[in-house]
């Protein structure tokens, strides 16, 4: 830290250097009386020092919510979201995924989580006025290999999914060139990928969406049942990296999560998030849940839904919690062209094997 | 400043020298520098410095007396009641808190993810702005966001609902006039947001708060959402974390009492295993439990959301139900009465503080 840059009396700066303080973090972590003792400065001098260092650390001054909503501070509030490429799903999410923060998509296997992620990887490449972010995506696989055939099918069917967009626009986008696929076989590889390779792509503006499919796989397999604290520490370090990247580059982060079975009844030691009667809960416990800003759950229901002589098993996409969304849900189906929401008149469907 | 030199509390030899030099009244001495006085009166430099120091201290009788003057408990009671509180729009919770979130105190809100902590904080940031003639405080708010969960779209919804609520209540001309100025834009313009990305930025922001409050004296609420997030990773040395958190708590309590503002902090929950059973407890450790004056714990019970007042110097412990609607933080539709669960200290005045108007806000 360059002490001379601070707006302080040279005497104070001299005392700080003599006491061997190197960074703003060190100064701010020491209390007033301790600082007085270490630098032999007076109380008012120490107050001035704290204020000057704090002002240097502060990235931006307080802004008003009015400025945010008017779009005057794009760093804090972008004013637009990443669309799902389906108006019903976007309606559930009030526009789409927020650009900053971790969105979690939890569900049983074969619920359709990967389908959602692939669709987002394509949607992000469209221009901003069409709900995208004009950039690519990083897809980190930790479980199975990347479903490349399905991606090719989705790319071919984009005009069917987005009939509202001009075909020339869709043809002009080279979708597969902008999706960067990473495989992480263990936690170390995952952390290295996220802290070294992904920031490079983000900095160059090549990607603005990060998908981790799935976050549960590695954390559940590498830790025993009694290593909960160790697992929490790694989980927190990992989510902190994601959080930092998301906020710095305005890139949504989507984490796919598995679910655990609920064997006993309501347990005061476990948070149910108001999901009463659910046989499954998102995995990784409350340590992970505290890091997530938007939690979505995907459930596969029994029955079939039809659309233009094709059929699909219906899914229910539910908002478990989000700062700006009510607890709502919508039905959707997985078709050849991707995931599409189903309008509300199919209320007779039941979850597969539910009570 | 009309004291004569002989009546000053000084050593007699010094007094004699001063009088011989021609200084009769204390006011003669006030503008002198030590060296000047030293030469003119023939006293040593230390004595000159002492004389001037004594005169300076003596010249501030009112401030000093005010600082050391003792207040009676009745005065304190009147002061506290005059301060008011910030309503939460959930009348059951307001009753439990004794009118709302109290000024001059730090309140901690703990809860699991998704239960409504950020919603309550946003609601308070809107409610602090309700005009005085409607029973509010007409103040501004500062929201320190460490998690990035402040989404202005939601605050705009709550502001809209609050304006509609006041519109329904407006009766006399004073209220109608205040209502004309109370728009969603005005509410949003009185809500300041700062985003802190790690604990160093949070510490910096708290050091800059006194300066901010002196520039914006109408700020009556500071929210830190959440104080747990930046402190829960990155700390190998937990004792340093405890020290930093205690320091923060001290600074915040000092700000709260000095400026008569309400400070609201949110905390996360963590699992604690004891005797083979696991429980959800507030994060940040045992010693943090002593930091805030009041502690509110929000939790799920099946489909219901419950708020428990866990720690308060003046209110009884109780649990109430609430819900989060499109309009914001509200009463649950079926239950309005708080259920006391232990008979801790009950406040002498019951659960109601004096309000300037008699109509209820709910």
């Amino acid at each position: 830290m360059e002490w001379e840059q601070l707006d302080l009396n040279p005497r104070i700066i001299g005392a700080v250097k003599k006491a061997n303080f190197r960074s703003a973090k060190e100064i701010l972590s020491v209390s007033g009386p301790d600082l007085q003792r270490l630098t032999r400065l007076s109380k008012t001098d120490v107050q001035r020092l704290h204020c000057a260092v704090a002002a240097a650390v502060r990235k931006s001054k307080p802004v008003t919510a009015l400025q945010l909503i008017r779009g005057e501070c794009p760093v804090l509030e972008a004013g637009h979201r990443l669309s799902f490429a389906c108006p019903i799903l976007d309606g559930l999410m009030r526009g789409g995924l927020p650009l900053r923060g971790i969105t979690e998509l939890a569900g049983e296997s074969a619920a359709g989580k990967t389908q959602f992620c692939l669709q987002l990887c394509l949607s992000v490449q469209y221009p901003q006025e069409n709900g995208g972010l004009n950039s690519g995506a990083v897809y980190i696989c930790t479980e199975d290999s990347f479903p490349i055939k399905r991606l090719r099918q989705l790319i071919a069917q984009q005009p069917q999914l987005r009939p509202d967009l001009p075909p020339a626009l869709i043809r002009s986008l080279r979708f597969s060139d902008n999706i960067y696929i990473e495989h992480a076989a263990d936690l170390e590889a995952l952390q290295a990928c996220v802290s070294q390779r992904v920031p490079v792509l983000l900095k160059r503006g090549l990607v603005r969406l990060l998908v981790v499919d799935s976050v549960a796989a590695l954390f559940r397999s590498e830790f025993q049942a009694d290593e909960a604290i160790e697992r929490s520490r790694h989980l927190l370090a990992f989510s902190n990296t994601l959080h930092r990247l998301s906020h710095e580059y305005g890139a949504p982060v989507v984490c796919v999560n598995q679910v655990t079975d609920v064997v006993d009844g309501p347990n005061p030691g476990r948070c149910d998030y108001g999901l009463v009667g659910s046989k499954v809960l998102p995995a990784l416990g409350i340590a992970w849940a505290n890091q997530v800003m938007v939690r979505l759950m995907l459930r596969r229901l029994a029955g079939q839904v039809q659309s233009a002589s094709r059929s699909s098993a219906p899914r229910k996409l539910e908002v478990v919690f989000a700062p700006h969304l009510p607890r709502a849900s919508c039905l959707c189906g997985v078709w050849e062209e991707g995931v599409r929401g189903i309008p509300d008149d199919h209320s007779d469907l039941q979850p597969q094997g539910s009570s | 400043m009309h004291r004569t030199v002989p009546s000053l509390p000084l050593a007699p030899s010094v007094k004699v020298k001063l009088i011989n030099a021609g200084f009769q009244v204390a006011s003669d001495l006030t503008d002198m520098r030590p060296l000047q006085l030293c030469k003119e009166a023939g006293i040593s430099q230390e004595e000159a410095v002492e004389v001037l120091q004594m005169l300076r201290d003596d010249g501030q009788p009112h401030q000093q007396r005010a600082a050391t003057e003792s207040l009676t408990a009745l005065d304190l009671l009147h002061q506290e009641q005059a301060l008011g509180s910030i309503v939460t729009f959930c009348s059951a919770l307001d009753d439990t808190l004794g009118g709302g979130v109290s000024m001059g105190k730090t309140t901690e809100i703990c809860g699991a993810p998704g239960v409504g902590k950020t919603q309550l904080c946003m609601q308070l940031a809107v409610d602090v702005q309700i005009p005085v003639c409607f029973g509010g405080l007409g103040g501004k708010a500062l929201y320190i966001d460490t998690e990035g969960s402040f989404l202005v779209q939601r605050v705009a919804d709550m502001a809209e609902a609050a304006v509609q609520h006041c519109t329904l209540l407006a009766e006399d001309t004073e209220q109608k006039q205040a209502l004309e100025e109370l728009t969603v834009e005005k509410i949003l313009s009185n809500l300041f947001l700062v985003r802190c990305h790690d604990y160093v930025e949070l510490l910096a922001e708290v050091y800059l708060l006194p300066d901010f409050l002196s520039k914006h004296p109408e700020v009556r609420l500071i929210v830190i959402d959440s104080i747990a997030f930046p402190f829960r990773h990155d700390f190998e040395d937990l004792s340093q974390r405890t020290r930093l958190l205690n320091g923060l708590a001290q600074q915040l309590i000092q700000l709260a009492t000095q400026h008569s503002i309400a400070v609201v902090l949110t905390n996360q929950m963590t699992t604690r295993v004891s005797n083979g059973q696991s429980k959800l407890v507030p994060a940040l450790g045992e010693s943090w439990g002593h930091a805030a004056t009041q502690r509110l714990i929000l939790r799920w019970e099946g489909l219901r959301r419950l708020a428990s007042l866990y720690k308060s110097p003046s209110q009884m412990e109780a649990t109430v139900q609430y819900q989060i609607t499109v309009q914001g933080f509200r009463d649950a539709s079926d239950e309005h009465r708080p259920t006391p669960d232990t008979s801790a200290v009950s406040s002498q005045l019951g659960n109601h503080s004096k309000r300037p108007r008699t109509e209820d806000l709910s």
Side-chain angles (χ1 to χ4, degrees):
Chain A
M1 167 109 203
E2 293 294 335
W3 300 118
E4 277 82 11
Q5 286 174 357
L6 297 175
D7 186 17
L8 283 175
N9 192 321
R11 178 177 48 89
I12 302 181
I13 297 182
V16 165
K17 284 193 188 162
K18 198 159 157 217
N20 234 345
F21 282 106
R22 302 241 178 71
S23 66
K25 181 161 140 173
E26 288 177 28
I27 296 269
L28 293 174
S29 306
V30 178
S31 71
D34 277 339
L35 208 50
Q36 280 181 267
R37 193 173 39 87
L38 290 167
T39 56
R40 295 184 217 277
L41 290 169
S42 68
K43 184 169 169 186
T44 33
D45 280 342
V46 159
Q47 273 174 355
R48 277 194 216 115
L49 174 61
H50 268 147
C51 285
V53 173
V57 163
R58 180 197 247 185
K59 291 222 174 96
S60 56
K61 290 192 161 179
V63 296
T64 65
L66 188 60
Q67 286 175 284
L68 286 181
I69 210 169
R70 284 189 178 154
E72 293 173 27
C73 313
V75 175
L76 290 176
E77 177 81 37
H80 61 277
R81 306 254 158 90
L82 173 57
S83 161
F84 272 102
C86 162
I88 297 176
L89 296 174
D90 284 344
L92 178 72
M93 301 285 295
R94 282 181 89 172
L97 289 188
L99 295 194
R100 289 178 165 86
I102 299 178
T103 301
E104 178 197 78
L105 184 55
E108 291 163 311
S109 62
K113 312 187 285 290
T114 304
Q115 304 300 313
F116 266 93
C117 295
L118 292 175
Q119 187 149 318
L120 284 168
C121 288
L122 298 177
S123 164
V124 70
Q125 302 189 34
Y126 288 96
Q128 196 173 305
E129 57 264 20
N130 301 120
L133 295 175
N134 226 342
S135 188
V138 178
Y139 199 107
I140 305 179
C141 298
T142 62
E143 290 182 356
D144 314 315
S145 55
F146 185 78
I148 187 73
K149 274 206 212 142
R150 177 60 174 149
L151 180 66
R152 291 218 183 96
Q153 192 181 40
L154 288 173
I155 293 175
Q157 297 276 325
Q158 277 291 293
Q160 275 72 31
L161 181 67
R162 318 246 0 214
D164 50 311
L165 296 180
L169 170 65
I170 301 178
R171 270 200 303 271
S172 69
L173 288 168
R174 305 189 55 86
F175 291 106
S176 34
D177 284 353
N178 296 323
I179 301 182
Y180 297 82
I181 302 169
E182 294 266 349
H183 283 93
D186 55 34
L187 268 185
E188 228 177 280
L190 179 64
Q191 187 68 30
C193 170
V194 161
S195 36
Q196 283 151 28
R197 290 202 288 284
V198 171
V200 174
L201 294 170
L202 284 167
K203 208 182 292 200
R204 292 202 199 143
L206 295 169
V207 303
R208 270 191 83 187
L209 169 67
L210 175 54
V211 178
V212 182
D213 184 4
S214 65
V215 71
L218 295 176
F219 285 100
R220 285 172 103 184
S221 63
E222 289 198 22
F223 293 100
Q224 310 281 358
D226 52 350
E227 289 176 315
I229 298 181
E230 186 72 17
R231 187 178 89 169
S232 273
R233 216 160 41 82
H234 279 94
L235 204 46
L236 251 48
F238 176 65
S239 64
N240 185 39
T241 316
L242 292 179
H243 200 89
R244 238 182 342 100
L245 289 174
S246 175
H247 277 264
E248 194 174 336
Y249 296 102
V253 175
V254 177
C255 289
V256 172
N257 196 5
Q258 295 165 351
V259 289
T260 60
D261 292 307
V262 175
V263 275
D264 44 4
N267 178 0
R270 181 195 64 221
C271 183
D272 287 340
Y273 314 105
L275 294 167
V276 176
S278 173
K279 292 250 174 94
V280 292
L281 283 179
L284 298 178
I286 205 166
W288 169 249
N290 276 325
Q291 310 298 317
V292 166
M293 189 172 82
V294 176
R295 172 167 268 180
L296 305 170
M297 263 191 91
L298 197 54
R299 262 181 263 260
R300 195 180 171 116
L301 305 176
Q304 296 277 307
V305 275
Q306 308 283 336
S307 160
S309 77
R310 304 163 302 167
S311 65
S312 149
R315 273 87 167 166
K316 182 162 102 154
L317 178 67
E318 186 179 352
V319 175
V320 178
F321 60 76
H324 62 308
L325 302 174
R327 298 196 63 169
S329 63
C330 78
L331 291 174
C332 49
V334 179
W335 316 103
E336 203 181 327
E337 67 269 19
V339 183
R340 278 246 203 95
I342 297 167
D344 263 340
D345 34 8
H346 288 71
S347 50
D348 48 340
L349 295 161
Q350 289 293 316
Q352 202 172 39
S354 81
S355 50
Chain B
M1 284 332 231
H2 300 298
R3 295 178 71 170
T4 54
V5 167
S7 66
L8 291 175
L10 294 168
S13 53
V14 174
K15 274 196 262 194
V16 161
K17 286 188 189 157
L18 286 175
I19 295 173
N20 285 342
F23 295 105
Q24 300 293 334
V25 198
S27 45
D28 293 340
L29 290 164
T30 38
D31 292 320
M32 302 288 295
R33 316 291 316 276
L35 271 175
Q36 260 182 309
L37 190 57
C38 182
K39 281 202 197 103
E40 288 206 16
I43 52 178
S44 76
Q45 196 164 357
E46 277 140 37
E47 282 168 349
V49 169
E50 261 178 47
V51 168
L52 291 168
Q53 184 83 33
M54 187 269 311
L55 281 173
R56 246 205 315 262
D57 289 342
D58 215 27
Q60 304 166 17
H62 301 291
Q63 282 114 303
Q64 283 216 316
R65 238 181 266 135
T68 54
E69 203 177 76
S70 44
L71 290 173
T72 66
L74 189 62
D75 290 335
L76 275 178
L77 185 63
H78 287 320
Q79 269 183 14
E80 244 185 51
Q81 285 175 344
L83 278 180
S85 45
I86 311 176
V87 290
T88 62
F89 272 175
C90 169
S91 57
L93 186 58
D94 287 336
D95 286 341
T96 313
L97 291 171
V101 171
S102 348
M103 310 299 284
K105 296 200 180 117
T106 48
T107 306
E108 183 188 350
I109 305 177
C110 314
V115 77
K117 310 184 290 292
T118 304
Q119 303 296 308
L120 179 53
C121 289
M122 291 198 223
Q123 186 72 62
L124 290 171
V126 168
D127 291 349
V128 72
Q129 304 187 34
I130 293 175
V132 177
C133 54
F134 283 100
L137 293 166
K140 300 191 184 179
L142 171 66
Y143 200 105
I144 302 180
D145 181 18
T146 62
E147 296 184 333
S149 52
F150 183 90
L151 292 174
V152 72
Q153 210 177 15
R154 182 62 174 142
V155 181
D157 292 344
M158 290 187 176
E160 176 79 49
V163 168
Q164 277 179 3
H165 191 101
C166 289
T167 314
L168 291 173
L169 289 177
E171 285 178 352
D172 54 41
T173 45
E174 195 192 345
Q175 288 181 328
K176 293 213 168 83
Q177 213 171 11
L179 203 53
E180 274 170 45
E181 289 178 358
L182 190 69
T183 61
V184 172
E185 272 92 30
K186 177 106 184 304
I187 295 183
L188 292 178
S189 70
N190 286 338
L191 176 50
F192 295 96
L193 172 75
V194 178
R195 198 158 275 161
C196 295
H197 299 93
D198 56 33
Y199 77 92
V200 179
E201 285 184 37
L202 180 60
L203 289 171
E205 209 54 56
V206 174
Y207 275 117
L208 293 169
L209 279 179
D211 194 44
F212 180 82
L213 288 173
S214 58
K215 284 206 197 101
H216 301 270
E218 328 79 31
V219 167
R220 307 304 306 279
L221 169 68
I222 295 183
V223 175
I224 303 186
D225 179 21
S226 64
I227 199 160
F229 191 80
F231 281 102
R232 289 196 73 201
H233 56 79
D234 234 10
F235 271 98
E236 267 100 38
D237 183 6
L238 281 184
S239 62
Q240 190 202 21
R241 185 179 89 167
T242 314
R243 220 170 355 102
L244 289 176
L245 284 171
N246 284 339
L248 267 183
Q250 293 263 35
Q251 286 177 293
L252 292 170
I253 290 185
Q254 210 174 20
L255 283 171
T257 40
Q258 259 175 11
H259 300 259
S260 297
I261 56 175
V263 175
V264 172
L265 314 165
T266 40
N267 193 3
Q268 296 171 343
M269 300 294 264
T270 183
T271 341
R272 183 169 66 192
V273 184
S274 59
N275 304 336
Q277 269 197 324
S278 64
K279 246 183 13 152
L280 279 181
V281 296
L284 296 181
E286 280 289 334
S287 50
W288 175 253
H290 304 287
T293 318
Q294 275 186 327
R295 187 176 246 190
L296 208 55
I297 298 193
L298 308 181
R299 66 182 200 279
W300 289 103
E301 201 177 80
L303 276 174
R304 308 195 305 164
R305 298 185 203 232
L306 300 176
S308 305
L309 182 62
Y310 209 70
K311 170 185 168 194
S312 169
S314 56
Q315 304 301 126
M316 193 163 63
E317 291 185 14
T319 302
V320 301
Q321 191 183 346
Y322 67 93
Q323 64 170 340
I324 314 281
T325 64
V326 165
Q327 288 110 7
F329 197 87
R330 294 289 187 274
D331 275 301
S333 36
D334 43 315
E335 199 176 318
H336 287 269
R337 313 213 112 257
T339 57
D341 31 43
T342 55
S343 56
V345 177
S346 65
S347 90
Q348 289 290 349
L349 303 172
N351 274 343
H352 302 280
S353 59
K354 284 195 188 148
R355 294 198 204 187
R357 297 200 166 259
T358 46
E359 57 253 20
D360 215 351
L361 265 188
S362 62

